[in-house]
Amino acid sequence: MSEARIRTLAEYEAARAHSIADPEGFWAEIASDFQWRKPWTKVLAWDFDGPDVKWFLGGQLNITENCLDRHLAERGDKTAIIWEPNDPKEASVRISFRELHERVCRMANALKRNSVQKGDRVAIYLPMVPELLVSVLACARIGAVHSVVFCGFSAQSLADRINDAQAVAVITSDGMFRGNKEMPVKRVVDEALEQCSSVKRVLVHERVRWAVDMKPGRDAWLHEELKLVDGDCPAEPMDSEDPLFILYTSGSTGKPKGVVHSCGGYMVYTQYSFINVFQPEENDIFWCTADVGWITGHSYMAYGPTLAGATQVMFEGIPTYPDPGRFWQVIDKHGVSIFYTAPTAIRSLMAAGIDHVLPYSLHSLRVLGSVGEPINEEAWHWYRTHIGKGRCPIVDTWWQTETGGILISSLAGITDEKPSHAAWPLPGVQPVLLTAEGKEIAENEVEGLLCMKFPWPSILRTTWGDHDRCRQTYFSSYKGYYFTGDGAKRDAEGRYRIIGRVDDVINVSGHRFGTAEIESAINMAKGVVESAVVGFPHDIKGQGIYAYVVTEKPVDDPEDMRGRIIEAVAAGIGRIAKPDKIQFVSGLPKTRSGKIMRRILRKVAENELGSLGDTSTLLDPAVVEEIKDGRV
Ligand code: WTA
């Protein structure tokens, strides 16, 4: 595939040493593997205090020329996407690179026809249908900034994201299939748009053939628009540092922020990390089970594999429909050789029982991957033994929306692996562990706060519309470092093990939610005065959501009140963030200055009642006893 491909341990070590000794020379070599319209004049300019990070300055490119056009000569007829629908009885669809190129160009022309211009923001709210990938690439083709919003988010969340980015257009569908359910999509968009004045056009893909309201002058059917344009659309030349997309993610405070990635560095790093972590060969079939609504689906579906010219499966459905053998059935059906999924999925399929695995041979598998949260040893061993049959390396890939690509992971079959350890930094990545005071810990066999001391090409550039928030969130805690928000250990040989978030972010099934965000949704429920949310260990989801809720009046119908709270979260964020446990309390443990002592709430939720620590600074220590007694 590419010059930048590492094939041996010695090559990994050499690349890592080179990347530290001469980062600019190292990345310049890797970046020269791509098609640039105009070469860069300077590889890197950076300052973490701003922050102000720029890669491949002065260079021009279009990422879709690298994802599509450059493959046409040699791989035009190669399958780019094997689309597997929700219903196993519906035929799967194969799309070659040539067809994908044509569809992206046509979609790009449809966007132009609907007045979308370079630099405009386009919100994409679509289920896992090929049009989702096509829309993402079509935006990139014309230099529009895509903002994909996961289809499980509520109308309110969608509206917030559209308004923050001032999106001019939305691409959506009539509805979606999900397991045995059909769910509305366009209706959610309609509700959101009541609050959004920036949106001028809505393009609607027909998936479930539902009657939907089409607002004259604003809404159009995608299939009709696509008929009016041709399949040839020259790619817009973009500066390396022009924004490629916005993806909203939760932090510990306030509303989600729009993480911004730029064209050049993101392109270079997503391909580089994809080919080195997963070690794909020309005929491999890659399957990442993430939704394109999350960063994993951006970097390792829309971009990484297409940049590398790989064939990939895109799956519309869920792992448990029609039964918990679906993933394994799809692997056998399409001969998937590299499979990338989340610990939460592994745990839930493990819980469903081995009988759902045994009917499938899984002999095509060669490499397994995990992403999104720490994978516990039990799940790791099950994955390795029952899915990988003991012969497939597992890459435990640690990264974040903000990092754009995998930063810490073993390289399949090249660097060693150890259960529950993301293990080794990729070349070009310089992690450090800091003490709480911000001192670098040099030794091994230690634990600390995970930071990066040098930029890599796909580091976030800003948070949309609020650069200071980017600085404060990631670059101000420890001067001169990018702070990840994660705690980590380093073992005797130097492998990293991620422990989890050290801030008020809960990672539920690999999805991040800020506690403040969930609390403000809960507080919208009628009768709620205030609430506090913490995470607790959950067998399947990794972390569950535990909510302590203070109500106006004593609750006489707890089921009804719980229902109302869940509906409030569903409306404010989406069902994916609904609390697993709700405890009604008469007050929250607060310090005299009014700060909620979450440490205590966390301990109670974790059922560690014996070690609550010092409660003497509380305004009302008695409330702690009540909370302990009422634990759910
Ligand atoms: C967590 C997902 C342990 C971590 C790509 C990080 C992980 C957050 C791993 C980012 C892993 C991700 N092991 N923890 N292999 N991968 N995390 O932005 O806490 O949705 O900060 O990106 O997920 O979540 P995000």
Side-chain angles (χ1 to χ4, degrees):
M1 280 191 174
S2 127
E3 301 300 312
R5 174 68 170 273
I6 292 164
R7 296 204 175 259
T8 62
L9 184 58
E11 282 176 18
Y12 164 73
E13 281 166 356
R16 210 173 141 191
H18 181 194
S19 75
I20 294 171
D22 174 20
E24 298 193 25
F26 174 79
W27 286 113
E29 227 170 78
I30 289 162
S32 60
D33 264 3
F34 295 83
Q35 276 184 12
W36 295 82
R37 288 281 188 94
K38 203 173 128 203
W40 59 88
T41 51
K42 188 171 165 48
V43 178
L44 169 66
W46 71 289
D47 155 31
F48 272 177
D49 294 338
D52 186 10
V53 181
K54 295 190 170 79
W55 282 91
F56 311 112
L57 292 82
Q60 283 196 343
L61 73 147
N62 186 289
I63 195 167
T64 69
E65 283 185 334
N66 287 276
C67 295
L68 303 169
D69 306 58
R70 72 167 162 160
H71 298 311
L72 295 183
E74 276 176 37
R75 300 192 178 103
D77 296 324
K78 180 176 174 176
T79 301
I81 299 171
I82 305 171
W83 181 66
E84 173 68 23
N86 175 67
D87 182 348
K89 293 201 262 335
E90 190 179 335
S92 46
V93 175
R94 297 178 90 90
I95 303 171
S96 68
F97 276 95
R98 185 167 294 110
E99 285 158 346
L100 185 61
H101 176 265
E102 209 251 0
R103 284 174 72 164
V104 168
C105 286
R106 204 171 273 281
M107 180 77 87
N109 283 331
L111 289 171
K112 282 196 200 164
R113 211 187 93 79
N114 283 277
S115 312
V116 176
Q117 295 177 359
K118 179 175 180 174
D120 283 346
R121 276 77 58 207
V122 175
I124 302 175
Y125 189 72
L126 276 171
M128 286 284 280
V129 290
E131 286 69 18
L132 172 50
L133 275 189
V134 170
S135 302
V136 163
L137 295 173
C139 287
R141 187 91 180 162
I142 63 170
V145 178
H146 55 79
S147 167
V148 183
V149 179
F150 173 61
C151 245
F153 279 118
S154 67
Q156 186 60 51
S157 291
L158 175 61
D160 291 344
R161 286 158 173 76
I162 289 173
N163 285 334
D164 188 76
Q166 290 289 294
V168 300
V170 180
I171 309 175
T172 189
S173 66
D174 49 354
M176 69 191 279
F177 296 115
R178 202 180 149 71
N180 57 12
K181 293 200 214 92
E182 285 180 27
M183 309 211 291
V185 177
K186 172 66 163 58
R187 220 194 297 153
V188 181
V189 172
D190 290 340
E191 196 187 325
L193 292 190
E194 283 170 21
Q195 304 178 42
C196 306
S197 55
S198 59
V199 173
K200 303 290 177 262
R201 300 295 279 168
V202 178
L203 301 179
V204 187
H205 165 64
E206 187 170 53
R207 174 63 185 127
V208 299
R209 294 177 181 268
W210 273 357
V212 296
D213 290 334
M214 298 292 279
K215 191 170 165 184
R218 188 193 71 182
D219 303 352
W221 287 105
L222 196 50
H223 56 266
E224 286 171 7
E225 289 297 305
L226 293 171
K227 277 189 220 142
L228 304 174
V229 292
D230 65 32
D232 181 23
C233 175
E236 185 69 31
M238 304 294 288
D239 282 338
S240 286
E241 283 300 322
D242 279 338
L244 173 63
F245 67 85
I246 308 174
L247 186 60
Y248 285 84
T249 188
S250 296
S252 48
T253 49
K255 59 183 174 77
K257 46 192 171 299
V259 167
V260 177
H261 284 289
S262 60
C263 298
Y266 182 82
M267 168 178 79
V268 170
Y269 197 80
T270 49
Q271 173 176 316
Y272 180 75
S273 52
F274 175 73
I275 61 174
N276 284 305
V277 170
F278 298 104
Q279 295 285 317
E281 301 296 343
E282 191 62 55
N283 293 323
D284 268 307
I285 309 237
F286 176 74
W287 181 16
C288 166
T289 68
D291 193 289
V292 176
W294 309 104
I295 191 67
T296 307
H298 281 62
S299 302
Y300 301 108
M301 291 188 69
Y303 292 110
T306 53
L307 284 164
T311 300
Q312 65 176 316
V313 172
M314 177 181 199
F315 176 46
E316 183 186 29
I318 56 172
T320 49
Y321 177 78
D323 62 57
R326 186 68 191 278
F327 272 4
W328 323 129
Q329 178 253 331
V330 171
I331 289 173
D332 275 5
K333 177 175 177 189
H334 297 299
V336 171
S337 50
I338 308 179
F339 180 64
Y340 190 31
T341 193
T344 189
I346 298 168
R347 286 189 297 262
S348 75
L349 298 177
M350 180 170 88
I354 196 69
D355 288 352
H356 291 289
V357 183
L358 293 177
Y360 305 101
S361 90
L362 304 178
H363 73 272
S364 55
L365 286 175
R366 212 167 61 68
V367 174
L368 301 177
S370 167
V371 60
E373 47 173 323
I375 177 165
N376 50 307
E377 295 207 15
E378 192 192 358
W380 191 95
H381 285 291
W382 187 85
Y383 197 28
R384 187 157 173 71
T385 309
H386 296 289
I387 306 306
K389 312 291 182 195
R391 59 182 160 73
C392 305
I394 298 181
V395 291
D396 178 353
T397 65
W398 175 87
W399 58 297
Q400 309 179 295
T401 305
E402 295 85 344
T403 70
I406 298 164
L407 296 194
I408 304 181
S409 170
S410 48
L411 309 185
I414 293 179
T415 50
D416 65 16
E417 61 188 33
K418 184 173 169 186
S420 299
H421 287 66
W424 306 104
L426 265 68
V429 175
Q430 299 189 33
V432 290
L433 296 181
L434 301 187
T435 64
E437 294 73 42
K439 249 185 80 213
E440 263 186 47
I441 311 173
E443 303 79 35
N444 281 346
E445 297 203 270
V446 289
E447 178 174 337
L449 301 166
L450 182 63
C451 291
M452 299 293 151
K453 69 174 193 189
F454 198 86
W456 60 98
S458 61
I459 186 173
L460 86 161
R461 299 304 197 263
T462 188
T463 45
W464 185 261
D466 191 351
H467 192 63
D468 198 52
R469 194 162 173 211
C470 175
R471 186 185 60 76
Q472 278 185 13
T473 312
Y474 307 105
F475 299 93
S476 73
S477 309
Y478 303 100
K479 198 173 151 45
Y481 297 94
Y482 165 80
F483 177 43
T484 64
D486 280 329
K489 291 186 178 180
R490 196 164 48 219
D491 74 4
E493 288 81 39
R495 291 181 203 86
Y496 286 87
R497 173 182 197 149
I498 311 302
I499 302 165
R501 305 289 306 191
V502 296
D503 53 9
D504 287 325
V505 170
I506 310 182
N507 192 330
V508 185
S509 302
H511 304 317
R512 282 160 66 176
F513 299 102
T515 52
E517 199 187 337
I518 304 174
E519 286 158 8
S520 68
I522 292 177
N523 298 351
M524 297 300 282
K526 199 160 167 277
V528 170
V529 178
E530 64 173 337
S531 58
V533 161
V534 296
F536 71 98
H538 188 288
D539 286 348
I540 305 285
K541 300 180 181 181
Q543 277 191 298
I545 299 174
Y546 195 117
Y548 298 88
V549 179
V550 181
T551 52
E552 278 164 18
K553 290 186 288 216
V555 179
D556 36 58
D557 185 350
E559 268 328 291
D560 174 67
M561 192 65 206
R562 282 201 183 91
R564 269 192 274 156
I565 289 170
I566 286 170
E567 282 316 308
V569 175
I573 304 174
R575 288 207 177 269
I576 41 175
K578 74 180 182 3
D580 299 278
K581 294 186 178 185
I582 299 172
Q583 180 179 351
F584 298 110
V585 293
S586 66
L588 296 170
K590 289 186 182 170
T591 61
R592 290 193 181 85
S593 57
K595 197 168 174 294
I596 297 171
M597 287 191 63
R598 287 174 192 278
R599 175 175 53 82
I600 293 174
L601 297 176
R602 243 180 254 129
K603 292 274 183 202
V604 174
E606 287 164 7
N607 202 13
E608 286 186 25
L609 306 181
S611 55
L612 294 187
D614 183 14
T615 54
S616 62
T617 56
L618 288 178
L619 194 59
D620 176 14
V623 82
V624 175
E625 290 310 310
E626 180 208 314
I627 288 174
K628 274 163 66 175
D629 294 343
R631 187 179 172 276
V632 290

